[in-house]
């Protein structure tokens, strides 16, 4: 088929040049490419979420990890923050571990595996409705912070406290 376009291009270069340079792409091929890019994006998001959960909550229970992940997901839905998990994590001053140890690989393999499971569950919607969408912040409860004194505590899970806007 390619030879026919080449021959026609020799006879009349302007008429058939476009046909030869862009082969038709079937609907199946196009949807396959789109599906692969969606899968790659989902895998990046899951990896970013698992890494964040590992660094922020490796000492927490599975439900504690999930609550921290829900805060990150709440931020993706808030107009105050970026739209993806990876962008949220990379935002300036959002996560200290990212700024100071982003190149460190998880050392506690079993905790990282748990973080991966929780990340996939979070991104698949398993924990939807388990936390108010207004909860956008968390911290280790016994670490004082002036920023958090302006927020209203929503709940406590093990070592972490979760906050939303509003007066205490």
């Amino acid at each position: 088929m390619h030879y026919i376009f080449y021959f026609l291009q020799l006879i009349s270069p302007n008429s058939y040049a476009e046909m030869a340079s862009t082969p038709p792409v079937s609907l199946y091929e196009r949807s396959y490419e789109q599906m692969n890019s969606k899968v790659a994006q989902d895998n990046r998001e899951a990896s970013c979420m698992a890494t964040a959960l590992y660094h922020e909550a490796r000492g927490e229970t599975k439900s504690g990890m999930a609550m921290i992940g829900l805060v990150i997901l709440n931020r993706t839905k808030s107009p105050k923050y970026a739209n993806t998990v990876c962008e949220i994590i990379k935002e300036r001053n959002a996560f200290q571990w990212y700024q100071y140890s982003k190149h460190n690989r998880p050392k506690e393999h079993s905790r990282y595996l748990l973080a991966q499971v929780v990340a996939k569950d979070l991104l698949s919607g398993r924990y939807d409705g388990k936390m108010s969408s207004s909860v956008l912040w968390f911290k280790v409860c016994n670490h004082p912070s002036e920023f958090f004194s302006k927020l209203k505590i929503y709940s406590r899970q093990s070592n972490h406290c979760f906050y939303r806007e509003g007066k205490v």
Side-chain angles (χ1 to χ4, degrees):
M1 184 76 157
H2 185 68
Y3 296 112
I4 295 171
F5 289 124
Y6 179 73
F7 177 73
L8 292 172
Q9 207 171 7
L10 287 174
I11 297 171
S12 177
N14 295 335
S15 304
Y16 298 100
E18 188 177 309
M19 289 174 68
S21 63
T22 56
V25 177
S26 72
L27 181 61
Y28 173 77
E29 290 171 320
R30 190 175 305 123
S31 64
Y32 182 76
E33 288 172 7
Q34 290 169 345
M35 182 182 73
N36 278 344
S37 66
K38 172 77 171 118
V39 168
Q41 176 64 23
D42 290 349
N43 287 340
R44 276 191 300 276
E45 291 290 286
S47 178
C48 288
M49 179 67 84
T51 303
L53 295 177
Y54 173 80
H55 287 289
E56 289 292 334
R58 72 175 159 260
E60 288 284 352
T61 63
K62 187 175 181 180
S63 61
M65 276 189 181
M67 288 187 71
I68 287 172
L70 287 169
V71 170
I72 295 169
L73 289 178
N74 283 348
R75 287 184 182 185
T76 65
K77 298 169 189 154
S78 169
K80 297 177 183 180
Y81 294 95
N83 296 326
T84 69
V85 172
C86 294
E87 289 172 339
I88 294 289
I89 290 164
K90 294 174 184 175
E91 283 184 341
R92 187 173 184 193
N93 299 324
F95 296 97
Q96 277 189 329
W97 64 265
Y98 181 78
Q99 292 174 339
Y100 299 113
S101 65
K102 60 184 165 189
H103 301 294
N104 291 349
R105 292 187 179 188
K107 294 178 176 122
E108 298 174 42
H109 188 67
S110 63
R111 298 306 294 174
Y112 186 64
L113 288 176
L114 177 61
Q116 289 176 316
V117 168
V118 173
K120 287 181 182 175
D121 287 348
L122 283 161
L123 294 171
S124 70
R126 181 167 180 225
Y127 291 98
D128 287 356
K130 301 281 184 187
M131 179 185 282
S132 168
S133 62
S134 65
V135 179
L136 299 174
W137 302 276
F138 65 89
K139 73 174 186 80
V140 174
C141 294
N142 63 359
H143 285 178
S145 170
E146 185 153 335
F147 173 77
F148 286 89
S149 67
K150 300 171 187 170
L151 301 173
K152 185 174 183 178
I153 192 160
Y154 173 77
S155 69
R156 180 183 178 133
Q157 173 72 32
S158 189
N159 296 323
H160 286 87
C161 291
F162 298 86
Y163 295 85
R164 59 189 170 141
E165 288 184 313
K167 288 288 182 190
V168 178

